């Protein structure tokens, strides 16, 4: 498995005696690089075998632009995950930080609590989706494809675990976006540090140009 790359490595993993164990033995960054080599569209079976923590790590690696969540890069991962099965969707979603779950849904939908029987506000001009329990009405943001992705995600979450689905929606409705993003970034940064990744501003210092004055005097002057 160390020699091949891309589709050859994917085929080798899927042909293993225990494909699930083989996939879950990969380091998160190995899985991430393999998915990027093959493309998300060709990795449905691979993602179905991956552990939730591995997929959370892939979102950690691909879903951020410095200290801000990049929904453009998160959506393809969610779309690929939805191509597996609702149980796996639910398991991965529970592994993602609660703050990030709420923040993503805030970006994907306008949320209204209609559990008291109040009328649905459709003045925003978005396609409206009412949750299966009829507690919430979601105005689905984005293009038709993006709105469909949000609809399918909420449907699968309700099928997998209605309590987690409701908690995500309630948090997205009530929590300030800035606080959610700050906490999400903090959790993500801690995990990245555990994997050996240097924080962005620290990385900039590593690649900063050296001053000639710092080098004068030989090795003793500058360790």
């Amino acid at each position: 498995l160390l020699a091949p790359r891309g589709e050859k490595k994917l085929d080798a993993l899927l042909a293993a005696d225990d494909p699930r164990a083989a996939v879950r033995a990969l380091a998160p960054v190995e899985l991430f690089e393999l998915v990027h080599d093959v493309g998300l569209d060709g990795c449905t079976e691979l993602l179905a075998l991956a552990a939730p923590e591995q997929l959370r790590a892939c979102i950690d690696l691909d879903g951020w632009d410095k200290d801000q969540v990049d929904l453009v890069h998160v959506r393809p991962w969610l779309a690929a995950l939805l191509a597996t099965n609702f149980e796996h969707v639910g398991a991965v979603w529970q592994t993602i930080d609660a703050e990030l779950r709420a923040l993503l849904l805030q970006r994907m939908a306008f949320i209204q609590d209609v559990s008291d029987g109040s009328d649905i506000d459709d003045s925003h001009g978005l396609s409206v989706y009412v949750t299966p329990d009829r507690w919430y009405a979601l105005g689905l943001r984005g293009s038709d494809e993006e709105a469909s992705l949000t609809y399918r995600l909420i449907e699968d979450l309700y099928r997998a675990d209605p309590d987690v689905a409701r908690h995500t929606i309630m948090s997205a409705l009530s929590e300030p976006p800035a606080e959610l993003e700050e906490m999400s970034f903090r959790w993500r940064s801690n995990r990245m540090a555990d994997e050996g990744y240097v924080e962005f501003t620290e990385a900039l210092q590593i690649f900063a140009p050296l001053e000639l004055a710092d080098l004068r005097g030989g090795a003793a002057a500058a360790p």
Side-chain angles (χ1 to χ4, degrees), residues 4-205:
R5 291 184 59 84
E7 292 186 2
K8 290 184 178 180
K9 184 165 187 174
L10 176 60
D11 292 342
L13 286 165
L14 299 181
D17 293 337
D18 188 344
R20 180 181 298 271
V23 171
R24 296 191 175 196
L26 296 174
V29 70
E30 289 182 285
L31 178 69
F32 177 76
E33 290 174 351
L34 177 56
V35 171
H36 271 270
D37 282 346
V38 176
L40 277 166
D41 291 342
C43 287
T44 300
E45 192 172 356
L46 177 70
L47 298 185
L49 295 171
E53 293 79 10
Q54 288 175 305
L55 296 181
R56 179 189 63 191
C58 289
I59 293 174
D60 281 344
L61 288 164
D62 215 18
W64 290 81
D65 181 7
K66 298 184 179 65
D67 60 349
Q68 296 183 327
V69 173
D70 188 348
L71 188 57
V72 171
H73 284 92
V74 174
R75 275 196 175 107
W77 285 97
L78 294 178
L81 180 61
L82 288 167
T84 59
N85 57 74
F86 74 88
E87 293 97 341
H88 198 46
V89 172
V92 174
W93 193 254
Q94 288 190 55
T95 307
I96 295 172
D97 302 319
E99 294 84 359
L100 181 56
R101 299 194 306 242
L103 181 62
L104 290 173
L105 191 57
Q106 280 184 352
R107 303 271 179 90
M108 297 165 76
F110 169 83
I111 305 168
Q112 181 184 2
D113 187 343
V114 293
S115 58
D116 59 358
S118 57
D119 294 334
I120 295 174
D121 178 10
D122 58 359
S123 61
H124 43 63
L126 303 172
S127 299
V128 176
Y129 163 71
V130 180
T131 57
D133 53 19
R134 306 196 67 79
W135 286 15
Y136 302 99
L138 276 63
L140 307 179
R141 305 184 195 274
S143 65
D144 290 345
E145 183 179 356
E146 292 166 347
S148 175
L149 173 68
T150 307
Y151 164 79
R152 290 162 49 214
L153 175 63
I154 299 300
E155 282 279 298
D156 275 10
L157 293 179
Y158 264 93
R159 292 176 68 193
D161 191 329
D163 289 336
V164 173
R166 293 188 193 102
H167 182 271
T168 298
I169 298 172
M170 284 191 297
S171 297
L173 180 62
S174 60
E175 298 293 334
E179 291 184 15
L180 290 175
E181 190 159 50
E182 181 180 351
M183 286 303 301
S184 299
F185 181 67
R186 186 176 301 174
W187 294 125
R188 182 255 186 182
S189 296
N190 290 340
R191 286 193 297 272
M192 296 292 285
D194 289 342
E195 293 293 328
Y197 287 88
V198 178
E199 194 269 335
F200 180 75
T201 54
E202 187 177 345
L204 291 180
Q205 295 175 9

